[in-house]
Amino acid sequence: MKPKLILVGTGMAGTRFLEHLLEEAPNSYEIEVFNKEPVGGYNRIMLSPVLAGEKTIPDIMTHDEAWFEERRIRLHTGKMVSAIDSVGQVLTTFCGETYFYDKLVIATGSNPFKLEIPGADLPGVVTFRDIRDVENMLSVSQNHNKAVVIGGGLLGLEAAHGLIKRGMDVTVIHRSEVLMNMQMDKESSQLLKSHLEQESNGVSGMKFHLGVNTTEILGQHQVESIRLDDGSEIATDLVVMSIGIRPNTQLAKQANLDVNRGILVNDFLETSAGNIYALGECNEHRGQTYGLVAPLYEQAKILAKRLAGQSVSYTGSITSTMLKVTGVNLFSAGEFKGENGADVIVFRDLAKNIYRKIVLKNNQVIGALLFGDTTGANWLFELLRQKQNISPMRDTLVFGPGY
Amino acid sequence: MNRPVFLSPEDIETTCPYCGVGCGMTISSKTTPVESDSFEVKVKGSPSHRANYGKLCVKGSSAGETVDFTGRMLHPQIDGNIVDWETALNDVAKTFQNTISEYGADSVAFYVSGQFLTEDYYVANKLIKGFMGTANIDTNSRLCMASAVVGYKRAFGSDTVPCCYEDLEHADLITLVGSNTAWAHPIIYQRIVAAKKQNPKLKIVVVDPRRTATCDIADLHLAIKPGMDAALFNGLLAYLNQQKALDLDYIQKHTEGFESALQKANELQGNVSDLATQCDLNETDLQQWLYWAVHTPKMVTMYSQGINQSSSGVDKSNAIINCHLATGRIGKEGMGPFSITGQPNAMGGREVGGLANQLAAHMDFSDPESIDRVARFWQAENMAQQNGLKAVDLFHAVGEGKIKAIWIMNTNPVVSMPDADKVKRALEKCDYVVVQDCMQDTDTTRMANVLLPATTWGETDGAVTNSDRTISIQRQFMQGPENARPDWWILSEVAKKMGWIDAFNYDSAVDIFREHAQLSGFENNGSRDFDISAFANITKQEYADFKPIQWPVNASARNGTHRMFSEGRFFTPSKKAQFIAITPYSPLSQQTEDKPYVLNTGRVRDQWHTMTRTAKTAKLMAHKNEPYITLHPDDASLHQLSEGDLVRVSNELGQLIGRVDISSSQRRGEIFVPIHWTSQYASHGRVDSLIQANVDPLSGQPESKHATAKIERYSAQWQGFILSRTAINPELFDDDYWVKITGKQFYRYEIASERALKNSQAWAKIILSSSEDTEWIEYDDTSCKQYRAALIKNDQLHKVFFMAADHKMPSRDWLGQLFSATELSPIERRSLLAGKASGVKDPGRMICSCFGVGINTIIEAIEAKDLVSVDAIGQALKAGTNCGSCVPELTEILAVELNSDISEKTG
């Protein structure tokens, strides 16, 4: 009898883990997978194009039911796991079914943050996390034309972009003066803002209220407007909250695993209970939680190797963001802000909406922010990771490799 | 029409506008008659011209690229306002007339040029000496070969170059004294190189404090102590006597004054060992040269500015001539003392008498009969009776207010005169300065009250005479600017307006040439060397068909004269040549604690004079493009200077800033600075502002090759460069260091400052004049003191600026190429401020200007293809196979590469 491995969650970390595991240790486990959503695995990053009408749900499915079937993995969709008995190595679903496991991998991801303000539970207030959220927004957009997105991070801007493409008039509210302040500095934020404010190809521009907080959502039976702490009020039919995510630790807490912000794991991605592992956005490793795909993939690979019997460990990820925000390429990594006396090299070609910035300390790259032109991003990221001395190429560093 | 128009349906034979070699050129009729600003004509060497037989140097080869109207003076101007010719000519005529009547004839002066055509020269000389009544006319030839003139006249009784170029091919020993022939007279150098290949017996000796590119072909280089040339040749005279190598028969029959000359030589330089010490030469080397001189009858001594530009230049010439007279090595094939001139028509100027101490047609003021003869010939109303002021004295008189009106034609004394800042101040004070030139902006045109636009090379006809007495014609092949006029026309019109209508009633250049030829033969009867009376009746058609010919050309020498003095008859009263007893003395400016360095000056290979023509073509700017200071490695380390650092050279007169060029070719304690840079092209590049105005007492020629100065590091806080499609007003640079370099479709500025920049971006925006219709790209690495910016207009690179803490910035070549692009590709745009193309190799500093081959390319080819000879480099890269000017440098690069190769293998 093969040992039984159960995976909870078929998000991007979970499915990637399965791929690696099947590669590293084929036929070693009998695998069962639980997913609360009524589908298999899909590329969550591609939800934005779905919202914008550029892609459909089938386009973004990565692991449909057939995929699991072909690999003899038993997939339970639409089944929430409600409890774990870590001593007995048994888990229970909402419907009361129980399943034994030899190894359990928790990859429950994260939940969107919701503002706890008056009116937050009015109909018309949504988050932007999964397929259901997208469907919600799309149905509102069919009959209404005003939307507010709270949160000017990457997801918020993508939601705003999608809604504009669906014909809505969208205002973005953001607490910071800097859009995408996890990935950008003030200068690039201004470039992005003016880019987004422009009307292009008949699609209207976004409106912004930066440096303000939402104090209240108003409406009788449905969202009608929001109120900001500068006193202004904006009429709207839809409020999308996109103010961040929080690791989904509900199940772990219930099972009495050690949890801080996320499910605590060691360098082998083991939780405090034997034979239970936590993977991806739901965990916390060396005090760090991750919300980007690259570290999750790294963890998935390490865990797969681990469970294939290899002696590898995970020591954390240096994160970088490489993405396309509504047509603008962006890369940012490390300490891209350039504070605390670090050296900063900047290249600007504002007419072409290009801004590139390298942050150095002791002639080592400690951060980079490439806006509008991400040539050489990978190369720079390697330099950053390897802490290479860049003195010989400092003069051309910001322009990328090959000089 | 102020666009160049090519005139001829046929090839036109003309003469090169540059140096005194006087090469024949063919202007190809294949030139497309485009009417655009970037007009060029195709030029090749004229195969039949006896100066060059089809060859041209890099300057000559690119002369066709300098004929567009960029920077040309287009209108007569008075006090900065454009006027018509009538107004301008009347103003000049009236002012000269009034000045003469109020202050006398000696209150006016002309300062003219060895680039004048003979006809222009003739009319200028006639006007001032015969009609205005003063001999206050001098010329930039004063700075060039005045000492050689006086040397010849003292020895031969006439200003006669005895040799011809063929003598170089017949000689067995050529001693080049004070002449960097390879750079200053490249075609003569090429002839010597070819002669050496033909005749392995031929020995080449270079006498020069510097190891110049000319030493490349030398069997022996005597790195003589500056100024000791007269001692060296006195020593040779004494040695020839000791070795019984004299031609006593010749001395007795054809010369006078031998005894005293020998006695002086014996007394002062009679001992070889002492002579070696005096000249600071290795005695064995000295012995070698002396030995060759004793045993080689076919000896040519060729000398140039290293001899002439000296406070004892005349004596140096005569010390050389003495040796040739004492051995009878003159007037025969492969022999003679051969002075080489620097300008295309210095010799023509000498022929018409365009110097203050000449009268006309090789006649002097010392002879009242001559004055009378010329007066009668000219029917002169106010014949000058005595010598006028020579250049240095002339400008001194301007400064003192004695000369109240000066007319400067086709020369740039604010750059080229010694103590040049004083000349500038003198002109600033002068009541009336007329400047006649082809260029609008020169350091001298800035001083003018009246500007008169002259035609230039290719736009008018006229004769020139080269260093071996060959008269050729510079012919018109294109239409000049609408309002530009030939110099002779301008002078004649003023003369007519001053009332001398009949004397200056010329229709074309040939009328003047004919009169000049008539004067040369007028009451001559063999008494004067210069005689071209064969042309006394020359017709317009004959002038158009004129073939190069060496004067004298008269009834007894219809086909001209290759060699002079073949019969040992000279033009002194006794008909015998004169020995001159020489007491050598040192240069006047001596090193002191405050001025520990001897400052030597000279030309660079691809530039000519004050760069008004050569700086127009990017090709010629690629070789050496900034003022530089060559110094010995020990002196460099003493001042902790590295190659490319900026250094300030200064003395009580002025200062110069340039790049450090470290070379063991320089003697310790001596520095070299090129002469070419003006205020148009560099902030602090005028070396003549440092030259003390010491002159030879006999020739009045300044000691431009020997000043003294100190050097110190220019402590640049930052350095940078700008490439710009349009010229930048240099006033924006304040007092900072800048150099302007012409590129293809752009100007390049190298800049540096001793003041830190507070806000690089703000400064750059002003300098590059950023505006609404342009796009701004920038790069900022503040902690490394690096800032770069580019201005894009209509997707084209308009301006680009790089700034850094030091001079180590990317090669400007790649950026320069982008100016030729009609549109920048996105990759080019991104790479712009990186200063190089991604992944493309940098060819490095330009070595072969003709084919654009850079040093990195050459070194790489030497290594990759195991090239072991200059010919092999030529086959692989074409470098050095056109004009050959870079062959010495290729040889040097090859030597260095092969050496390092050997040491790598053995070490």
Side-chain angles (χ1 to χ4, degrees):
Chain A
M1 266 273 284
K2 283 188 277 187
K4 186 169 178 187
L5 181 141
I6 292 182
L7 166 69
V8 183
T10 57
M12 299 182 73
T15 48
R16 176 59 66 101
F17 159 73
L18 287 180
E19 282 173 9
H20 284 305
L21 184 67
L22 293 172
E23 216 170 90
E24 299 286 344
N27 301 317
S28 301
Y29 291 99
E30 183 197 340
I31 304 171
E32 271 188 70
V33 176
F34 290 82
N35 186 14
K36 68 173 177 182
E37 289 191 63
V39 287
Y42 63 89
N43 186 341
R44 198 181 299 283
I45 295 168
M46 301 299 275
L47 283 175
S48 304
V50 172
L51 177 64
E54 291 153 5
K55 292 263 192 298
T56 61
I57 302 278
D59 289 339
I60 68 166
M61 290 308 297
T62 54
H63 302 78
D64 56 10
E65 293 185 21
W67 186 90
F68 292 93
E69 212 165 290
E70 278 160 25
R71 285 160 185 77
R72 296 169 182 239
I73 296 170
R74 204 168 151 209
L75 173 67
H76 306 268
T77 56
K79 266 186 197 173
M80 280 269 278
V81 176
S82 60
I84 298 166
D85 170 3
S86 62
V87 181
Q89 303 202 158
V90 181
L91 59 78
T92 310
T93 67
F94 256 105
C95 323
E97 295 165 327
T98 54
Y99 297 86
F100 289 94
Y101 64 85
D102 293 301
K103 302 281 180 190
L104 174 64
V105 176
I106 303 174
T108 46
S110 58
N111 293 322
F113 244 151
K114 276 188 113 172
L115 285 176
E116 312 256 326
I117 51 171
D121 48 2
L122 275 172
V125 179
V126 298
T127 55
F128 182 28
R129 175 68 188 170
D130 56 28
I131 291 178
R132 216 177 44 229
D133 294 331
V134 173
E135 283 165 351
N136 270 336
M137 286 190 259
L138 288 180
S139 81
V140 177
S141 73
Q142 276 163 16
N143 307 313
H144 300 85
N145 67 0
K146 286 203 194 74
V148 161
V149 175
I150 301 175
L154 172 63
L155 272 181
L157 294 178
E158 289 192 331
H161 175 68
L163 292 170
I164 284 175
K165 292 210 50 172
R166 295 289 180 177
M168 296 192 87
D169 172 5
V170 183
T171 304
V172 175
I173 313 294
H174 193 51
R175 262 172 68 172
S176 162
E177 292 282 357
V178 178
L179 290 172
M180 289 176 62
N181 48 313
M182 298 297 283
Q183 290 88 19
M184 299 207 301
D185 62 4
K186 192 158 186 171
E187 184 165 351
S188 48
S189 157
Q190 272 159 2
L191 285 177
L192 181 64
K193 179 168 171 270
S194 34
H195 171 74
L196 295 175
E197 280 169 345
Q198 273 165 28
E199 196 184 301
S200 70
N201 300 329
V203 178
S204 57
M206 274 179 216
K207 295 168 186 161
F208 291 94
H209 278 258
L210 302 186
V212 290
N213 289 299
T214 313
T215 52
E216 199 176 352
I217 301 175
L218 307 167
Q220 289 250 305
H221 308 290
Q222 159 80 24
V223 172
E224 288 169 14
S225 68
I226 61 161
R227 183 170 290 148
L228 304 174
D229 60 2
D230 64 1
S232 58
E233 200 176 310
I234 301 166
T236 186
D237 307 312
L238 174 69
V239 171
V240 181
M241 286 196 188
S242 178
I243 51 170
I245 51 170
R246 134 164 72 193
N248 182 358
T249 57
Q250 207 183 343
L251 188 59
K253 275 183 180 154
Q254 184 280 328
N256 280 323
L257 305 184
D258 289 351
V259 173
N260 184 28
R261 270 198 303 145
I263 306 163
L264 292 173
V265 292
N266 61 16
D267 287 358
F268 306 124
L269 300 167
E270 296 165 348
T271 63
S272 56
N275 292 321
I276 302 181
Y277 305 84
L279 170 66
E281 287 177 349
C282 64
N283 76 16
E284 178 178 335
H285 171 261
R286 297 191 182 182
Q288 190 78 43
T289 59
Y290 295 99
L292 295 165
V293 74
L296 314 191
Y297 282 175
E298 284 177 51
Q299 290 181 2
K301 191 169 187 175
I302 299 282
L303 182 58
K305 287 184 174 201
R306 195 72 209 157
L307 290 176
Q310 299 175 30
S311 57
V312 291
S313 62
Y314 176 70
T315 54
S317 295
I318 300 168
T319 55
S320 71
T321 321
M322 174 79 148
L323 39 85
K324 203 165 189 173
V325 200
T326 66
V328 180
N329 289 307
L330 174 74
F331 168 82
S332 87
E335 297 171 39
F336 62 82
K337 287 196 175 140
E339 295 154 340
N340 304 322
D343 289 359
V344 175
I345 302 178
V346 177
F347 169 70
R348 296 183 182 90
D349 184 352
L350 301 186
K352 297 282 177 197
N353 226 11
I354 293 171
Y355 168 79
R356 293 164 66 98
K357 173 179 177 184
I358 311 285
V359 181
L360 303 171
K361 205 154 206 172
N362 302 324
N363 276 318
Q364 290 173 358
V365 178
I366 59 163
L369 169 55
L370 309 179
F371 181 89
D373 174 2
T374 51
T375 312
N378 294 331
W379 176 75
L380 281 167
F381 191 49
E382 266 320 290
L383 293 176
L384 185 149
R385 281 155 63 113
Q386 290 170 6
K387 299 186 163 63
Q388 199 173 320
N389 183 328
I390 53 74
S391 312
M393 52 185 162
R394 179 168 178 146
D395 283 359
T396 57
L397 191 65
V398 78
F399 302 100
Y403 289 97
Chain B
M1 168 103 54
N2 278 329
R3 290 205 157 163
V5 180
F6 189 68
L7 285 178
S8 177
E10 290 169 2
D11 287 0
I12 295 182
E13 292 299 315
T14 187
T15 317
C16 179
Y18 294 118
C19 76
V21 180
C23 297
M25 275 181 169
T26 309
I27 307 294
S28 170
S29 60
K30 293 202 181 71
T31 297
T32 341
V34 273
E35 293 177 19
S36 78
D37 292 339
S38 59
F39 180 80
E40 286 185 15
V41 295
K42 291 193 182 69
V43 162
K44 51 187 198 298
S46 168
S48 61
H49 198 288
R50 40 173 308 286
N52 57 316
Y53 295 109
K55 282 199 160 249
L56 285 180
C57 73
V58 64
K59 290 188 286 281
S61 304
S62 30
E65 295 165 26
T66 64
V67 296
D68 66 273
F69 291 169
T70 314
R72 288 293 295 273
M73 192 191 293
L74 299 174
H75 307 281
Q77 294 147 69
I78 298 178
D79 295 329
N81 302 311
I82 293 174
V83 297
D84 59 22
W85 267 110
E86 189 64 15
T87 311
L89 295 168
N90 277 328
D91 196 78
V92 175
K94 198 180 81 214
T95 309
F96 269 75
Q97 204 149 37
N98 292 346
T99 309
I100 291 167
S101 52
E102 192 166 342
Y103 302 102
D106 289 338
S107 67
V108 302
F110 289 179
Y111 186 69
V112 302
S113 165
Q115 291 157 78
F116 249 179
L117 303 175
T118 300
E119 293 81 353
D120 305 323
Y121 239 136
Y122 180 86
V123 175
N125 193 52
K126 180 179 176 184
L127 172 59
I128 194 160
K129 285 182 184 153
F131 293 82
M132 289 189 177
T134 175
N136 281 345
I137 173 172
D138 217 33
T139 144
N140 59 17
S141 297
R142 178 70 59 200
L143 315 174
C144 167
M145 45 71 213
S147 295
V149 172
V150 180
Y152 279 146
K153 282 170 82 169
R154 283 209 297 183
F156 309 145
S158 62
D159 173 19
T160 315
V161 177
C163 310
C164 57
Y165 291 149
E166 283 77 9
D167 287 327
L168 298 170
E169 277 109 33
H170 294 299
D172 293 320
L173 171 63
I174 299 175
T175 304
L176 299 164
V177 196
S179 167
N180 183 7
T181 321
W183 282 13
H185 300 100
I187 295 303
I188 289 186
Y189 178 77
Q190 293 298 325
R191 284 182 79 144
I192 298 173
V193 171
K196 196 165 164 62
K197 260 191 191 153
Q198 285 289 311
N199 173 15
K201 270 200 321 190
L202 170 61
K203 297 281 184 267
I204 314 286
V205 180
V206 174
V207 181
D208 196 312
R210 297 191 295 147
R211 193 179 70 239
T212 62
T214 306
C215 297
D216 206 53
I217 51 158
D219 297 280
L220 182 64
H221 170 216
L222 299 178
I224 192 169
K225 183 177 171 189
M228 296 312 291
D229 316 82
L232 185 72
F233 282 87
N234 251 6
L236 175 58
L237 182 63
Y239 189 77
L240 288 165
N241 177 53
Q242 285 159 27
Q243 300 297 312
K244 310 217 176 312
L246 301 177
D247 185 341
L248 298 172
D249 186 47
Y250 189 91
I251 294 170
Q252 201 250 319
K253 279 191 185 142
H254 302 296
T255 72
E256 290 172 342
F258 173 68
E259 285 308 325
S260 58
L262 179 63
Q263 193 193 338
K264 199 45 114 184
N266 275 337
E267 178 192 323
L268 298 173
Q269 276 85 29
N271 178 298
V272 173
S273 194
D274 291 348
L275 178 63
T277 312
Q278 288 175 27
C279 297
D280 194 14
L281 289 172
N282 173 309
E283 193 178 331
T284 320
D285 289 348
L286 176 60
Q287 284 280 9
Q288 177 67 74
W289 176 64
L290 293 169
Y291 176 86
W292 283 339
V294 164
H295 292 96
T296 317
K298 288 194 165 183
M299 170 176 103
V300 170
T301 308
M302 211 173 85
Y303 53 101
S304 187
Q305 266 64 308
I307 290 295
N308 300 338
Q309 293 181 335
S310 155
S311 56
S312 57
V314 178
D315 279 354
K316 288 175 179 173
S317 303
N318 285 111
I320 293 169
I321 295 168
N322 281 348
C323 296
H324 282 271
L325 291 175
T327 49
R329 293 173 187 171
I330 184 167
K332 296 173 198 137
E333 202 175 72
M335 305 179 188
F338 198 170
S339 150
I340 300 292
T341 52
Q343 304 205 71
N345 200 29
M347 293 285 279
R350 284 147 76 162
E351 289 152 19
V352 304
L355 289 146
N357 51 337
Q358 296 175 329
L359 174 52
H362 281 206
M363 287 176 272
D364 291 326
F365 286 106
S366 58
D367 175 18
E369 267 181 54
S370 294
I371 301 174
D372 176 60
R373 183 183 306 123
V374 174
R376 280 186 287 114
F377 181 82
W378 279 344
Q379 300 179 3
E381 287 181 12
N382 305 301
M383 193 67 207
Q385 299 296 319
Q386 58 188 11
N387 287 340
L389 295 171
K390 299 184 192 113
V392 169
D393 296 334
L394 187 145
F395 283 101
H396 185 68
V398 172
E400 286 195 319
K402 289 180 185 157
I403 288 173
K404 301 191 180 299
I406 184 169
W407 188 347
I408 298 168
M409 301 172 225
N410 301 349
T411 184
N412 204 348
V414 173
V415 180
S416 53
M417 284 290 292
D419 199 355
D421 288 342
K422 185 178 159 187
V423 171
K424 188 178 172 190
R425 290 192 297 272
L427 290 174
E428 275 164 357
K429 278 202 302 194
C430 185
D431 291 346
Y432 194 67
V433 178
V434 181
V435 179
Q436 178 169 318
D437 207 292
C438 60
M439 301 301 286
Q440 174 68 31
D441 292 313
T442 74
D443 293 7
T444 302
T445 57
R446 284 184 189 177
M447 304 291 122
N449 301 92
V450 180
L451 287 172
L452 303 175
T455 51
T456 184
W457 183 72
E459 299 168 0
T460 185
D461 294 326
V464 291
T465 306
N466 73 359
S467 294
D468 82 343
R469 291 175 280 102
T470 303
I471 301 171
S472 315
I473 306 292
Q474 281 190 9
R475 289 195 173 83
Q476 182 173 13
F477 54 79
M478 59 183 279
Q479 193 68 55
E482 192 180 0
N483 273 318
R485 296 287 182 274
D487 295 284
W488 63 261
W489 182 90
I490 303 170
L491 284 152
S492 303
E493 290 304 302
V494 169
K496 286 189 247 178
K497 287 190 186 303
M498 291 177 80
W500 302 301
I501 292 162
D502 293 339
F504 294 91
N505 195 15
Y506 305 115
D507 277 341
S508 70
V510 66
D511 294 343
I512 303 163
F513 188 79
R514 192 185 303 118
E515 183 179 313
H516 168 57
Q518 287 165 359
L519 175 58
S520 76
F522 186 61
E523 298 173 4
N524 187 331
N525 305 318
S527 64
R528 308 192 300 271
D529 64 334
F530 180 69
D531 182 358
I532 54 166
S533 51
F535 301 114
N537 297 305
I538 190 169
T539 64
K540 202 161 189 167
Q541 189 56 48
E542 285 165 346
Y543 187 78
D545 297 337
F546 193 98
K547 296 273 186 303
I549 192 164
Q550 282 177 291
W551 64 256
V553 199
N554 51 22
S556 51
R558 282 262 158 221
N559 297 318
T561 314
H562 283 333
R563 207 166 281 109
M564 297 292 280
F565 310 132
S566 304
E567 278 126 44
R569 268 173 54 86
F570 295 88
F571 294 94
T572 53
S574 63
K575 304 297 170 205
K576 289 185 173 186
Q578 302 296 307
F579 278 94
I580 309 289
I582 300 297
T583 305
Y585 61 91
S586 298
L588 290 181
S589 183
Q590 288 294 308
Q591 288 148 280
T592 62
E593 220 169 90
D594 293 341
K595 296 183 287 177
Y597 286 91
V598 168
L599 165 59
N600 186 2
T601 67
R603 286 181 173 169
V604 304
R605 191 189 77 192
D606 292 359
Q607 291 302 326
W608 200 71
H609 279 195
T610 60
M611 295 164 78
T612 40
R613 183 179 290 280
T614 41
K616 281 174 95 171
T617 159
K619 198 196 264 182
L620 296 181
M621 289 309 303
H623 179 240
K624 302 271 187 192
N625 45 40
E626 280 189 76
Y628 63 91
I629 290 104
T630 311
L631 74 170
H632 189 273
D634 291 352
D635 292 326
S637 54
L638 187 71
H639 293 272
Q640 295 176 324
L641 292 166
S642 314
E643 190 79 15
D645 283 351
L646 284 169
V647 66
R648 178 183 271 116
V649 182
S650 65
N651 61 21
E652 73 282 6
L653 298 179
Q655 60 161 333
L656 176 136
I657 302 165
R659 297 270 169 212
V660 169
D661 166 42
I662 300 172
S663 170
S664 57
S665 68
Q666 204 64 31
R667 287 161 52 96
R668 280 204 62 174
E670 296 173 16
I671 59 175
F672 173 83
V673 176
I675 59 170
H676 306 288
W677 275 270
T678 71
S679 302
Q680 307 303 310
Y681 290 98
S683 59
H684 302 82
R686 289 160 56 236
V687 70
D688 280 299
S689 66
L690 290 159
I691 304 294
Q692 291 97 355
N694 299 322
V695 300
D696 183 294
L698 301 170
S699 70
Q701 178 157 4
E703 195 155 52
S704 305
K705 290 251 177 223
H706 193 106
T708 48
K710 68 173 174 183
I711 62 176
E712 63 202 330
R713 167 185 293 282
Y714 177 86
S715 23
Q717 296 298 304
W718 59 270
Q719 303 202 35
F721 67 85
I722 297 171
L723 307 186
S724 174
R725 211 171 272 279
T726 51
I728 292 171
N729 179 359
E731 281 170 22
L732 292 171
F733 298 124
D734 285 333
D735 198 35
D736 292 340
Y737 171 83
W738 61 267
V739 178
K740 178 183 177 186
I741 301 147
T742 309
K744 216 169 172 115
Q745 299 187 34
F746 66 92
Y747 296 101
R748 169 178 148 204
Y749 295 83
E750 293 290 328
I751 41 187
S753 178
E754 286 182 312
R755 298 169 302 166
L757 263 189
K758 284 199 191 87
N759 184 337
S760 315
Q761 190 197 49
W763 189 83
K765 288 209 166 177
I766 293 166
I767 295 286
L768 305 194
S769 44
S770 160
S771 62
E772 288 292 309
D773 60 338
T774 56
E775 293 169 4
W776 184 259
I777 305 180
E778 68 180 354
Y779 169 94
D780 193 351
D781 182 353
T782 309
S783 5
C784 257
K785 282 195 183 175
Q786 290 227 20
Y787 182 80
R788 308 167 193 168
L791 206 64
I792 311 286
K793 209 170 177 175
N794 305 325
D795 283 326
Q796 275 195 320
L797 177 56
H798 203 60
K799 292 175 184 182
V800 59
F801 167 52
F802 271 63
M803 189 199 107
D806 56 28
H807 195 46
K808 292 181 195 76
M809 279 171 277
S811 153
R812 288 61 163 156
D813 296 351
W814 181 77
L815 284 167
Q817 286 162 22
L818 297 182
F819 283 86
S820 304
T822 47
E823 197 179 332
L824 287 176
S825 73
I827 302 157
E828 284 169 340
R829 183 166 172 140
R830 177 162 61 82
S831 299
L832 202 57
L833 297 187
K836 48 188 155 183
S838 186
V840 173
K841 284 175 187 162
D842 182 357
R845 180 170 66 83
M846 212 39 71
I847 297 295
C848 172
S849 304
C850 297
F851 292 112
V853 188
I855 188 160
N856 297 353
T857 314
I858 293 168
I859 290 174
E860 196 182 317
I862 291 172
E863 282 166 2
K865 298 179 185 161
D866 279 330
L867 306 180
V868 291
S869 70
V870 170
D871 285 347
I873 297 177
Q875 276 165 19
L877 303 168
K878 289 172 108 178
T881 58
N882 185 40
C883 77
S885 305
C886 61
V887 168
E889 272 163 302
L890 291 176
T891 312
E892 209 172 296
I893 294 165
L894 191 65
V896 171
E897 284 308 303
L898 295 181
N899 265 335
S900 68
D901 201 18
I902 289 162
S903 61
E904 269 165 33
K905 278 172 190 158
T906 55

